Amino acid sequence: MTPAHFTFSSAFLLGLTGLAFHRTHLLSALLCLEGMMLSLFIAMSLWTLQLDATAFSPSPMLLLAFSACEASAGLALLVATARTHGTDRLQSLNLLQC
């Protein structure tokens, strides 16, 4: 395992563990998701450069576009939740309540 591969794998796993264990606020969950997407983007970019394949070159940009869409949807949900519930704490949200 190369040091770059280890770095991006550990960054992804740190984001995943942060998402799994620190679920108090919606903003912290969104930041963990963004960290995971950023590590995937950098890893995919380096993978494309190491293989020297032009066929895979649009893949990191496509992932970055999906990541931007995910971030905007997450922020819209954060604003809507903060307006309706007054807080972004995940424990105050009840999925069974309309």
Side-chain angles (χ1 to χ4, degrees):
M1 181 181 287
T2 63
H5 186 262
F6 175 74
T7 302
F8 297 123
S9 297
S10 63
F12 183 80
L13 288 177
L14 279 174
L16 189 63
T17 56
L19 184 64
F21 294 123
H22 300 290
R23 298 197 300 185
T24 55
H25 293 280
L26 183 59
L27 185 62
S28 64
L30 290 174
L31 284 174
C32 289
L33 281 174
E34 286 302 313
M36 290 168 58
M37 291 300 284
L38 182 65
S39 67
L40 280 176
F41 170 71
I42 294 173
M44 193 176 276
S45 297
L46 284 179
W47 178 62
T48 304
L49 288 174
Q50 284 177 354
L51 289 180
D52 207 18
T54 58
F56 296 119
S57 61
S59 298
M61 294 307 288
L62 187 65
L63 181 72
L64 192 62
F66 283 133
S67 176
C69 292
E70 177 255 335
S72 65
L75 286 177
L77 285 173
L78 177 70
V79 168
T81 303
R83 283 186 182 171
T84 57
H85 295 284
T87 183
D88 70 332
R89 291 184 59 86
L90 291 177
Q91 293 176 350
S92 67
L93 299 177
N94 188 2
L95 294 177
L96 299 176
Q97 183 182 11
C98 291

